[in-house]
Amino acid sequence: MLWSGWGDPAEAAPLPDTVIGLLRDLLGVEPRGSGPVALEDVTVPEPEGGPAARRALVAAVGGEEHVRTDPEARIRHTRGKSTPDLLRIRAGDVTDVPAAVVLPASHDEVLAVLGACAEHGLAVVPFGGGTSVVGGLAPERRGPFVALDLRRMDGLLDLDPVSRTATLQPGLRAPRAEALLAEHGFTLGHFPQSYEWATIGGFAATRSSGQASAGYGRFDEMVLGLTLATPRGTLDTGRAPRSAAGPDLRQLVLGSEGAFGVITAVTVRIRPVPPVRVYEGWRFGSFEEGTAALRRLAQDGPRPTVLRLSDETETLVGLAQPDAIGSGPRESSAGCLAVVGHEGTEEDTAHRGERAAAVLRACGGTPLGEEPGRRWAGGRYSAPYLRDALLDAGALVETLETATFWSRVPELYAAVRDALTGTLTEAGTPPLVMCHISHVYENGASLYFTVVSAQGEDAVAHWTRAKHAANEAILAAGGTISHHHGVGTDHRDWYLREAGPLGVDALRAVKRRLDPDGVLNPGVLLPAD
């Protein structure tokens, strides 16, 4: 992955002139004088920790080659991929650089690394694909820490075709996991925007949600079992698909973001590879009208595999189809664009598609055919590359997401839009605020916002003020502080308020029992001691 941006540098593309003109005329964006610093020009401090700690780490992972302290490896494991993360790294700021990058190959080696770090006072940050956008890879701790890169733990450990389960290692990237499962005729069906780079362990640790969640479910709904390595030993969870044997300890691990332990194996539900995938576009006159249609399908069926709705602004700009940015709106794209997808056998997709179409028409929808759906599917992973191009052009662009019950969706939508628009406008950089419904449930939905404005004098501080205002609006309107990005450090203070004092005390007790020395991702999810 590009060290100062997202993904494969070969996939990056400059913005069309029409978009640069829009940024200038509508938002006052001025080009920056220079791009990111060169990798070789970044000054990295000497690694901390001492020779005894290094010897212990080398012994834990079986060789010097699996403990990296060279500048490039350490830079590439500095923070995640949020816009503030990228703005800082592009300026050469590596104040959060790890002292070493450690690459274990097994559960036992992870346990050994945790023991060595506890003994020598090193913090540990589990590192999968490095795609966190909520500060999940920058611990709040004075002193050295190591990045625990799980890339060597990238295998398919077991596949049970009768039960339709697979056990995967945490460092397995999603495309490789799909390829391994496809060899046996199965799919996980988990395709988030970070799909090309994120890992199985990261999906579990953050309660990830894929773009086909309406049909396949969230990742935490797919997980049947987990193995967790902690400084106090091993925690194994999940002996059956469901159980009444006390509280479900799987739920304690899911979403724990490396604060309680390191996930070393995940057993997941798998499904046969669908022979047919059909994605269609539908137009609705307003976001309110489209939201009502999505609710009908989510509650009464038939529920599509993919179900998304862009608001008027996102539809007009073309962000619903990132590869169409700058092409200009067409008459058929006025209003709000919904993408509806069905996967399965030819007979099943045709039957469900006809039934869903009847519901969508009854709710005021106009069919646009398969072309908008194909464009969405073709560009479904390209938005982060677009963000890099916008940053290069001098714009500030970032995303945030939340979720609530259907009855509260209008209030939450308005509250977050108003908070972002008001804060950034007051600071002299009026924004473009776009939103889409990305995941639906019988009882509610998620809202995913994209914000674009000029960067201002201090882009990181500028966005931080706006993000804090949006977080306050989310809690006040009854939303959750995160639907699928996670807590990290960016959402932590609001998560503590959402969980409540007693809930936080319970989580602290778990942290103390599993990680008594506080070496695991300090400051992420819970404040560091």
Side-chain angles (χ1 to χ4, degrees):
M1 182 182 283
L2 181 65
W3 71 277
S4 60
W6 179 267
D8 183 353
E11 296 294 324
L15 292 175
D17 291 340
T18 51
V19 174
I20 292 177
L22 177 68
L23 293 171
R24 180 188 62 246
D25 298 340
L26 181 62
L27 303 178
V29 172
E30 297 293 338
R32 290 293 179 180
S34 60
V37 299
L39 179 61
E40 58 270 20
D41 292 335
V42 178
T43 302
V44 180
E46 288 296 314
E48 302 174 85
R54 180 177 175 84
R55 287 194 297 270
L57 293 172
V58 169
V61 294
E64 291 273 356
E65 66 272 25
H66 305 312
V67 179
R68 301 276 303 275
T69 56
D70 58 284
E72 181 172 342
R74 295 167 63 204
I75 291 169
R76 290 185 177 276
H77 290 77
T78 299
R79 295 186 289 270
K81 297 297 182 181
S82 70
T83 292
D85 288 342
L86 295 185
L87 288 168
R88 291 175 63 191
I89 200 76
R90 287 160 68 99
D93 177 355
V94 289
T95 51
D96 300 318
V97 68
V101 179
V102 183
L103 296 97
S106 68
H107 173 82
D108 288 343
E109 288 191 0
V110 173
L111 286 175
V113 170
L114 296 181
C117 289
E119 179 181 355
H120 292 278
L122 297 170
V124 182
V125 177
F127 193 100
T131 61
S132 171
V133 292
V134 291
L137 300 175
E140 291 186 353
R141 176 187 172 110
R142 291 183 178 179
F145 73 94
V146 301
L148 190 70
D149 190 320
L150 301 168
R151 72 178 70 181
R152 295 175 67 208
M153 300 175 66
D154 64 348
L156 170 62
L157 299 180
D158 182 64
L159 190 143
D160 179 350
V162 176
S163 303
R164 291 187 176 176
T165 67
T167 300
L168 309 170
Q169 288 188 298
L172 192 60
R173 274 177 37 192
R176 179 60 179 159
E178 282 295 319
L180 290 172
L181 293 173
E183 291 175 5
H184 301 272
F186 291 101
T187 179
L188 187 56
H190 189 67
F191 305 104
Q193 196 171 77
S194 61
Y195 169 78
E196 296 170 309
W197 299 94
T199 61
I200 296 298
F203 290 154
T206 59
R207 292 188 183 271
S208 174
S209 192
Q211 294 170 341
S213 64
Y216 290 96
R218 292 163 53 99
F219 192 81
D220 51 5
E221 296 172 318
M222 303 175 186
V223 173
L224 302 173
L226 293 150
T227 300
L228 189 74
T230 82
R232 296 300 297 268
T234 300
L235 179 66
D236 277 312
T237 69
R239 297 175 62 93
R242 294 291 185 271
S243 172
D248 190 347
L249 292 177
R250 289 172 292 197
Q251 298 303 319
L252 190 64
V253 179
L254 292 165
S256 58
E257 300 187 32
F260 298 158
V262 180
I263 296 169
T264 58
V266 184
T267 299
V268 291
R269 174 197 74 206
I270 55 178
R271 291 180 177 170
V273 174
V276 176
R277 292 183 171 97
V278 179
Y279 307 112
E280 301 173 334
W282 286 77
R283 177 196 174 276
F284 289 92
S286 68
F287 194 55
E288 180 182 10
E289 186 179 74
T291 298
L294 266 60
R295 179 172 65 85
R296 276 279 304 275
L297 288 177
Q299 291 181 334
D300 303 326
R303 184 179 295 186
T305 308
V306 173
L307 191 57
R308 303 166 63 85
L309 174 72
S310 293
D311 71 0
E312 292 88 345
T313 306
E314 185 171 286
T315 300
L316 181 66
V317 171
L319 194 62
Q321 302 163 291
D323 64 341
I325 290 287
S327 62
R330 293 163 293 179
E331 183 179 349
S332 62
S333 68
C336 294
L337 174 66
V339 173
V340 182
H342 302 281
E343 299 182 6
T345 65
E346 186 170 354
E347 180 182 5
D348 182 48
T349 54
H351 177 62
R352 287 190 294 127
E354 291 173 1
R355 293 173 58 213
V359 173
L360 294 170
R361 283 193 177 92
C363 292
T366 301
L368 303 176
E370 293 186 22
E371 191 270 342
R374 282 195 297 265
R375 295 202 69 148
W376 169 80
R380 65 196 298 185
Y381 308 127
S382 61
Y385 292 100
L386 176 63
R387 178 183 59 171
D388 285 358
L390 287 164
L391 290 177
D392 289 339
L396 173 68
V397 55
E398 185 57 300
T399 63
L400 60 89
E401 42 76 42
T402 179
T404 191
F405 297 104
W406 285 113
S407 60
R408 296 177 179 172
V409 165
E411 177 188 356
L412 181 61
Y413 172 70
V416 176
R417 279 180 56 90
D418 290 348
L420 292 167
T421 301
T423 304
L424 290 168
T425 299
E426 288 174 7
T429 58
L432 190 67
V433 180
M434 299 163 277
C435 181
H436 63 262
I437 292 176
S438 55
H439 307 278
V440 299
Y441 307 94
E442 181 179 355
N443 308 110
S446 71
L447 293 173
Y448 191 100
F449 293 86
T450 302
V451 187
V452 184
S453 77
Q455 290 187 7
E457 292 298 320
D458 184 340
V460 173
H462 194 47
W463 171 249
T464 298
R465 287 191 294 271
K467 178 66 178 290
H468 286 189
N471 290 349
E472 291 292 336
I474 286 170
L475 290 192
T480 179
I481 198 59
S482 176
H483 172 264
H484 58 269
H485 282 170
V487 175
T489 54
D490 293 356
H491 293 155
R492 184 195 60 211
D493 294 347
W494 291 268
Y495 169 65
L496 300 181
R497 289 160 57 185
E498 184 175 325
L502 187 57
V504 172
D505 286 346
L507 293 176
R508 285 187 180 279
V510 173
K511 173 78 169 174
R512 286 193 296 268
R513 181 67 180 90
L514 298 180
D515 180 24
D517 297 307
V519 301
L520 285 163
N521 230 2
V524 169
L525 193 68
L526 297 168
D529 292 333

